[in-house]
């Protein structure tokens, strides 16, 4: 059976085989989730939010240990979470891009205050 994953905020979707990781599905959809460990549940960079109601395979012990309660906020490691059916995934903003955007906004506020 196939699974359909919709990635938010873009709304881009892809059909994959049941058991595919969200990370692999994102690559098939042409989206980029940053990783450093190559999908070994070690770097923590591939976090996503899986929306409630999504059809997933049971969480593995390794991911449960790594997340240590964050799964209650629907945060999952995209390299570990495997889809079973219709799944909605929210991609988190890149932390570096977010930091740069905040710094630029702060600088603009300071510049605007001077003029
Ligand atoms: S890719 Fe490193 S924890 Fe998922």
């Amino acid at each position: 059976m196939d699974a359909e994953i919709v990635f938010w905020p873009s709304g881009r979707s892809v059909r994959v085989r049941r058991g595919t990781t969200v990370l692999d599905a994102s690559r098939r959809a042409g989206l980029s989730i940053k990783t450093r460990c190559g999908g070994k549940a070690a770097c923590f960079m591939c976090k996503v939010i899986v929306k409630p109601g999504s059809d997933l395979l049971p969480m593995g012990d390794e991911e449960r240990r790594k997340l240590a309660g964050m799964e209650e906020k629907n945060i999952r490691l995209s390299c570990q979470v495997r889809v079973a059916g219709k799944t909605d995934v929210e991609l988190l903003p890149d932390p570096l891009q977010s930091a740069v955007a905040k710094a630029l906004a702060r600088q603009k506020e300071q510049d605007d205050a001077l003029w």
Side-chain angles (χ1 to χ4, degrees), residues 21-68:
T21 66
V22 168
L23 180 60
D24 287 341
S26 73
R27 290 174 175 161
R28 287 197 50 193
L31 297 167
S32 172
I33 296 176
K34 294 215 183 313
T35 70
R36 194 170 284 161
C37 71
K40 295 184 172 73
C43 71
F44 236 57
M45 293 180 67
C46 69
K47 292 188 300 287
V48 295
I49 295 174
V50 177
K51 295 190 176 180
S54 293
D55 191 5
L56 306 171
L57 294 180
M59 181 184 287
D61 292 340
E62 179 77 13
E63 184 184 16
R64 187 178 317 280
R65 200 169 35 252
K66 295 284 181 180
L67 288 174

